[in-house]
């Protein structure tokens, strides 16, 4: 037997260890499982070599000692595959802790059974005549390979079942590792079985383990993978690892997210240099770790004890920044201070909350934000609500309610606003304030908007609009929808499918920024040419003002509830609004007052000849069945 392949394996392992320890500075944590597995592979290789030497020198080594070494080698083979399984389980720990601990226990028991069986059953050393092909045989070998295959089958089953949660590279890395192992043992089995009588033998299992370990190292465990290449700070991947570590070990750390925005346009410094200098500066702040998060933020981790007050850090950040950069940049920054990791369910939860707050606190003043348990609870509630809404949407639990709109001229209800609602599992209603903005952010509003429109088309299809006294139904459009290319054609296609006369539909829009306005106007034009009409919603809220009316081709202007309320409360507001109303009427637009709740308000609204009135005074938004009954009762 020759030991060439094993020696090559040893060389591979030495290279891995060398790199691992040289690059350790950028490791967030050493992945204990990888390290243990690498050490067992190394031990396995050494024992493999040792056993071959001992078998070949029966005159020097006691046969019992030789058999013991052979068995120890087999034990390390089982150990290597068991550690491989535990290594893969790491990713599942946060997802399903019960399953994780149960599997760790099972693996431990399998390992123990394997060791006991291997150590207690007899192994034989077979010497052949020329001494070239001495080998071992017996139950321990069969047990070892059976168990190894079993454990690897379990590993594959688990990573396939949980592939959604397993880090993708780990999935691939482990597959390569196992494939190498299977190929290695197959070659060993086949060659030794078929060609041993020709004097050809090969022991390739240990080498394949070493190569597998090398693949895992390069793909996953190389500490420099944790580095942000530009700034030299630790990267997001490292952050995820580090947070898990802090949570698992209950390390008492505080996390500070530093988000800065700055106008780089008048600065000579390029962005990469700028980030680099910020990293350097933060590293001098007596901190534990510095992570580069998204483009404009860093996360600094400090031990809680004995660190300087956050406001001092904030000032230092600013002062140092100017000192180091020698240029004047007006840097705005905000610090989110997370002092208590126990508020979070898991590392994933912490990262999600941090991300959410980072995005959603931008509208507030710059400065330092203590992230209290109330804030975290609020975000958790939002997450829960989002889950509920996503589920309702996925299950198609979308309903359209109708709020009647009264016409002063006709003295009856001539239209209604279609308002969307979702229903959760307990059949409770979820209101738009809980989901519209979120769905605008993640784009789901486009699908939802289509469903709402279809629902309104169906309503018009199923009812005799004239008989009910209805002129049209108002359908809210989100600016996100209107900015979509091809949006108008799509809605026209839907209307045609239901055979809807476009005069029965009036779309409500609000103001958009300049961005996307061209598309909005194009879509509006196509829809108007087809015969739909438009209202400007939320007039007076900052979402729509006089300026906007002039350039928007609308027929109706809807005064928002807040504006209507101040009309009744405040003399100056009513003066301003009276002139606005006469101007709008002068442009031949109709005016709607929204949010009319009292008799007093109704009387005034009628007196000043507001064209349409909508509000709880007449009716809240109601289901389509109730709406039809409402009309039948009130539009006689
Ligand atoms: P909006 O378009 O301005 O709709 C009017 C809102 O005011 C509705 O709230 C309505 O229930 C409420 N309202 C009407 N009269 C009164 C009143 O007398 N008192 C009070 N306190 N409130 C009144 P809702 O249904 O919760 O909708 C809120 C907002 O969500 C809507 O404001 C609209 O911007 C958006 N939204 C609703 N449905 C849709 C939809 O189908 N698509 C889109 N894109 N947005 C929608
Ligand atoms: Mg509206
Ligand atoms: Mg409105």
């Amino acid at each position: 037997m020759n030991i060439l392949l094993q020696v090559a394996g040893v060389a591979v392992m030495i290279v891995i260890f060398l790199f691992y320890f040289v690059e350790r500075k950028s490791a967030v944590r050493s992945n204990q499982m990888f390290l243990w597995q690498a050490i067992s592979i190394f031990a396995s290789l050494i024992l493999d070599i040792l056993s071959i030497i001992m078998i070949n020198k029966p005159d020097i080594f006691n046969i019992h000692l030789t058999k013991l070494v052979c068995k120890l080698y087999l034990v390390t083979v089982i150990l290597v595959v068991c550690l491989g399984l535990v290594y893969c389980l790491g990713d599942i720990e946060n997802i399903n802790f019960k399953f994780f601990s149960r599997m760790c226990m099972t693996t431990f028991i399998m390992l123990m059974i394997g060791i006991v069986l291997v150590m207690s059953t007899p192994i034989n050393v077979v010497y052949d005549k020329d001494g070239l092909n001495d080998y071992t045989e017996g139950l321990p070998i069969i047990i070892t390979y059976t168990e190894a295959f079993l454990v690897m089958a379990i590993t594959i089953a688990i990573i396939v079942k949980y592939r959604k949660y397993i880090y993708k590279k780990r999935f691939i890395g482990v597959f390569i590792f196992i494939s190498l192992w299977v190929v290695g043992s197959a070659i060993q089995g086949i060659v030794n079985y078929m060609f041993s009588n020709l004097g050809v033998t090969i022991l390739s299992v240990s080498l394949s383990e070493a190569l597998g370990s090398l693949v895992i190292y390069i793909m996953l465990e190389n500490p420099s993978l944790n580095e942000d290449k530009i700034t030299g700070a630790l990267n997001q991947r490292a952050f995820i690892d580090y947070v898990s570590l802090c949570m698992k070990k209950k390390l008492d750390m505080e996390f500070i997210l530093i988000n800065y925005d700055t106008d780089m346009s008048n600065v000579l410094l390029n962005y990469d240099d700028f980030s680099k200098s910020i990293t350097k500066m933060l590293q001098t702040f007596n901190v534990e770790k510095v992570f580069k998060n998204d483009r404009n933020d860093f996360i600094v981790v400090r031990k809680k004890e004995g660190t300087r007050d956050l406001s001092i850090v904030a000032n230092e950040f600013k002062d140092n920044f100017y000192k180091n950069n020698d240029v004047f940049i007006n840097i705005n920054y905000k610090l989110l201070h997370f002092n208590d990791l126990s508020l979070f369910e898991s590392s994933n939860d912490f990262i999600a909350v941090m991300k959410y707050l980072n995005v959603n606190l931008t509208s507030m003043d710059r400065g330092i934000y203590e992230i209290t348990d109330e804030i975290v609870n609020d975000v958790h509630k939002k997450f829960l609500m989002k889950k509920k809404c996503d589920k309702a949407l996925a299950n198609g639990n979308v309903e359209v309610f109708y709020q009647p709109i009264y016409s002063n001229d006709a003295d009856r209800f001539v239209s209604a606003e279609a308002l969307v609602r979702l229903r959760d599992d307990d059949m409770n209603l979820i209101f738009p304030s809980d989901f519209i903005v979120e769905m605008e952010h993640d784009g789901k509003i486009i699908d939802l908007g289509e469903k709402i429109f279809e629902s309104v088309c169906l309503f018009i299809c199923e009812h005799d609009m004239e008989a009910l006294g209805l002129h049209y139904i108002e359908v809210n459009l989100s600016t996100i929808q209107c900015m979509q290319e091809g949006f108008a054609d799509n809605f026209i296609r839907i209307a045609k499918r239901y055979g809807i006369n476009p005069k029965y539909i009036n779309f409500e829009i609000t103001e958009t920024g300049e961005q996307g306005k061209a598309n909005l106007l194009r879509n509006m034009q196509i829809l108007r040419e087809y015969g739909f009409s438009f209202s400007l919603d939320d007039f007076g809220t900052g979402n729509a003002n006089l300026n906007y009316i002039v350039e928007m081709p609308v027929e109706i202007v809807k005064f928002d509830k807040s504006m209507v309320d101040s009309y009744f409360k405040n003399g100056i507001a009513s003066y301003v609004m009276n002139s606005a109303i006469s101007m709008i009427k002068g442009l031949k637009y109709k005016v709607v007052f929204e949010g009319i709740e009292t008799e007093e308000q109704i009387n005034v609204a009628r007196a000043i000849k507001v064209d349409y009135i909508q509000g709880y005074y007449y009716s809240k938004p109601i289901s389509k069945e109730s709406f039809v009954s409402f009309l039948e009762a009130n539009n006689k």
Side-chain angles (χ1 to χ4, degrees):
M1 286 275 182
N2 71 65
I3 53 170
L4 230 82
L5 295 182
Q6 282 82 342
V7 172
V10 169
V12 169
M13 293 315 291
I14 290 175
V15 170
I16 294 177
F17 288 130
L18 268 177
F19 275 109
Y20 193 87
F21 289 107
V22 167
E23 300 224 20
R24 197 170 38 172
K25 67 176 192 324
S26 54
V28 172
R29 55 166 176 174
S30 59
N31 189 331
Q32 296 297 338
M33 275 313 133
F34 168 73
L35 212 54
W36 281 118
Q37 198 200 28
I39 292 169
S40 2
I41 291 172
F42 190 70
S44 190
L45 283 158
I46 299 293
L47 286 167
D48 199 5
I49 293 172
L50 205 60
S51 63
I52 294 167
I53 295 173
M54 289 170 91
I55 291 171
N56 284 317
K57 299 261 182 281
D59 39 337
I60 302 177
F61 296 101
N62 174 300
I63 180 73
H64 295 296
L65 192 64
T66 304
K67 283 182 178 177
L68 178 68
V69 171
C70 290
K71 284 183 171 188
L72 284 177
Y73 161 69
L74 294 174
V75 165
T76 57
V77 172
I78 300 177
L79 185 66
V80 166
V81 290
C82 286
L83 287 171
L85 173 52
V86 178
Y87 172 79
C88 293
L89 289 173
D91 284 354
I92 302 168
E93 191 178 352
N94 278 334
I95 312 297
N96 188 344
F97 187 74
K98 230 165 96 191
F99 177 74
F100 167 77
S101 20
R102 219 177 325 132
M103 271 323 295
C104 285
M105 201 59 209
T106 314
T107 315
F108 181 73
I109 293 170
M110 285 195 300
L111 174 65
M112 284 304 137
I113 294 175
I115 292 176
V116 169
L117 288 178
V118 167
M119 296 310 281
S120 61
T121 47
I123 192 165
N124 295 324
V125 180
V126 181
Y127 299 102
D128 69 52
K129 299 169 271 6
D130 49 18
L132 268 177
N133 285 318
D134 302 338
Y135 64 99
T136 49
E137 63 171 26
L139 224 46
I141 296 164
I142 297 169
I143 292 166
T144 300
Y145 284 96
T146 311
E147 175 152 0
F149 273 106
L150 180 69
V151 172
M152 279 190 290
I154 295 173
T155 309
I156 291 185
I158 289 176
I159 61 171
V160 168
K161 172 154 191 250
Y162 283 92
R163 63 188 170 282
K164 244 176 41 204
Y165 306 106
I166 303 245
Y167 179 47
K168 195 165 163 218
K169 272 191 166 173
R170 178 140 26 244
F171 186 86
I172 299 169
V174 169
F175 245 104
I176 296 178
F177 183 97
I178 292 180
S179 312
L180 280 169
W181 200 96
V182 171
V183 170
S185 54
I187 292 176
Q188 178 166 323
I190 293 166
V191 171
N192 294 354
Y193 179 74
M194 294 179 64
F195 303 111
S196 62
N197 49 355
L198 304 175
V200 182
T201 54
I202 196 164
L203 292 176
S204 47
V205 173
S206 305
L207 176 64
S208 67
E209 282 172 4
L211 292 175
S213 188
L214 183 67
V215 170
I216 301 267
Y217 173 79
I218 292 170
M219 284 180 72
L220 291 145
E221 301 299 339
N222 173 0
S224 68
L225 292 174
N226 290 324
E227 244 177 49
D228 179 59
K229 294 286 171 291
I230 293 165
T231 60
L234 293 164
N235 60 17
Q236 278 175 317
R237 170 197 140 101
F239 183 64
I240 296 168
D241 266 5
Y242 186 70
V243 173
S244 315
L245 178 78
C246 288
M247 288 202 150
K248 209 178 301 167
K249 301 213 161 159
K250 302 208 164 31
L251 299 182
D252 209 15
M253 295 291 178
E254 54 178 10
F255 289 73
I256 306 159
L257 185 144
I258 302 174
N259 170 285
Y260 54 90
D261 64 55
T262 173
D263 179 13
M264 297 289 294
S265 56
N266 54 357
V267 171
L268 293 171
L269 209 62
N270 77 32
Y271 184 78
D272 291 355
D273 291 341
F274 176 75
S275 308
K276 233 183 270 173
S277 74
I278 290 193
T279 309
K280 266 206 203 104
M281 180 178 87
L282 291 172
Q283 278 161 345
T284 64
F285 274 13
N286 186 25
V287 294
E288 205 60 28
K289 303 261 184 252
V290 177
F291 297 91
K292 176 85 169 55
N293 199 28
D294 269 339
R295 183 176 160 86
N296 275 356
D297 35 70
F298 284 91
I299 298 164
V300 164
V301 186
R302 307 191 299 178
K303 285 206 182 80
K304 274 197 218 161
E305 298 280 293
T307 42
R308 281 160 300 176
D309 190 66
L310 210 57
S311 56
I312 301 177
V313 174
N315 282 334
E316 272 178 36
F317 176 68
K318 206 161 181 171
D319 292 349
N320 272 309
F321 179 75
Y322 292 128
K323 250 184 252 152
N324 286 346
N325 282 296
D326 215 21
V327 280
F328 185 78
I329 307 180
N330 189 13
I331 178 160
N332 285 318
Y333 61 91
K334 112 186 131 176
L335 271 67
L336 308 188
H337 184 209
F338 297 84
N339 198 31
D340 187 3
L341 279 191
S342 71
L343 297 175
F344 304 96
E345 287 151 20
S346 64
S347 51
N348 289 346
D349 179 42
F350 174 53
I351 290 163
V353 171
M354 187 180 244
K355 193 168 168 189
Y356 179 89
L357 288 172
N358 190 18
V359 173
N360 288 282
L361 286 178
T362 41
S363 57
M364 287 163 75
D365 285 338
R366 301 260 129 192
I368 301 171
Y369 299 99
E370 280 302 331
I371 307 303
T372 59
D373 49 351
E374 282 129 62
I375 297 181
V376 174
N377 283 345
D378 269 3
V379 178
H380 279 155
K381 270 187 211 144
K382 289 238 164 68
F383 285 176
L384 247 140
M385 182 52 87
K386 182 164 173 10
K387 243 194 203 155
K388 251 192 201 176
C389 293
D390 286 349
K391 198 165 171 203
L393 205 62
N395 294 341
N397 293 337
V398 178
E399 285 174 39
V400 175
F401 275 36
Y402 294 85
Q403 187 177 31
I405 297 176
Y406 175 84
S407 157
N408 248 338
D409 263 358
D411 190 24
R412 59 187 174 84
F413 296 91
V414 295
S415 62
E417 176 169 4
L419 294 156
V420 67
R421 271 94 183 95
L422 300 181
R423 243 185 233 284
D424 68 11
D425 287 344
D426 305 322
M427 298 310 279
N428 296 317
L429 285 177
I430 311 174
F431 292 90
S433 54
D434 281 323
F435 58 86
I436 293 284
V437 175
E438 283 77 8
M439 289 191 181
E440 284 179 338
H441 280 314
D442 60 21
K444 292 200 174 116
I445 191 73
I446 293 171
D447 252 12
L448 180 67
E450 222 176 277
K451 282 210 182 90
I452 296 165
F453 184 57
E454 291 204 28
S455 175
V456 173
C457 288
L458 191 66
F459 177 88
I460 296 172
C461 233
E462 285 174 343
H463 295 88
D464 184 343
M465 294 284 280
E466 309 294 334
L468 289 173
L470 289 175
H471 296 170
Y472 52 84
I473 303 285
E474 293 181 2
V475 178
N476 287 284
L477 295 181
S478 152
T479 43
I480 305 289
Q481 290 172 277
C482 305
M483 275 153 41
Q484 288 282 100
E485 206 137 343
F487 160 74
D489 298 326
N490 187 29
F491 266 42
I492 290 171
R493 212 171 310 132
I494 293 172
K496 279 184 181 157
R497 196 164 74 227
Y498 284 87
I500 299 295
N501 184 338
K503 73 171 184 184
Y504 288 137
I505 289 188
N506 173 282
F507 290 115
E508 294 188 10
I509 51 158
T510 55
E511 186 182 341
T512 40
E514 282 311 306
Q515 199 198 3
K517 199 187 230 169
N519 267 355
L520 173 111
L521 287 171
R522 201 171 316 124
N523 279 318
M524 266 182 94
Q525 194 192 345
I526 300 173
L527 289 168
R528 281 169 61 89
E529 275 166 13
Y530 185 69
F532 295 111
S533 61
F534 278 83
S535 297
L536 183 67
D537 201 0
D538 299 343
F539 180 72
T541 58
N543 281 336
N545 54 40
L546 277 179
N547 232 344
Y548 204 65
I549 293 183
V550 177
E551 43 181 38
M552 278 296 139
V554 295
E555 277 76 22
I556 300 172
V557 178
K558 299 190 77 171
F559 281 58
D560 187 69
K561 180 176 188 324
S562 57
M563 188 104 176
V564 170
D565 284 347
S566 53
Y567 183 89
F568 297 109
K569 277 193 208 125
N570 177 327
I572 301 177
S574 68
Y575 180 80
V576 173
M577 274 172 70
N578 278 333
S579 357
I581 291 169
S582 58
M583 191 203 84
I584 292 167
K585 287 192 163 188
L587 288 167
K588 301 265 176 301
Y589 300 150
K590 305 273 189 207
V591 171
V592 184
F593 266 24
E594 277 190 296
I596 295 284
E597 291 181 346
T598 64
E599 179 121 35
E600 209 186 328
Q601 293 176 333
I602 284 283
N603 293 335
V604 177
R606 282 189 179 149
I608 60 170
K609 297 226 155 36
V610 169
D611 302 281
Y612 302 109
I613 301 170
Q614 176 184 356
Y616 289 0
Y617 177 81
Y618 289 123
S619 170
K620 286 194 170 181
I622 43 182
S623 68
K624 64 177 177 187
E625 294 81 13
S626 311
F627 174 55
V628 172
S629 315
F630 177 93
L631 292 177
E632 284 163 356
N634 292 286
N635 269 0
K636 290 208 181 93

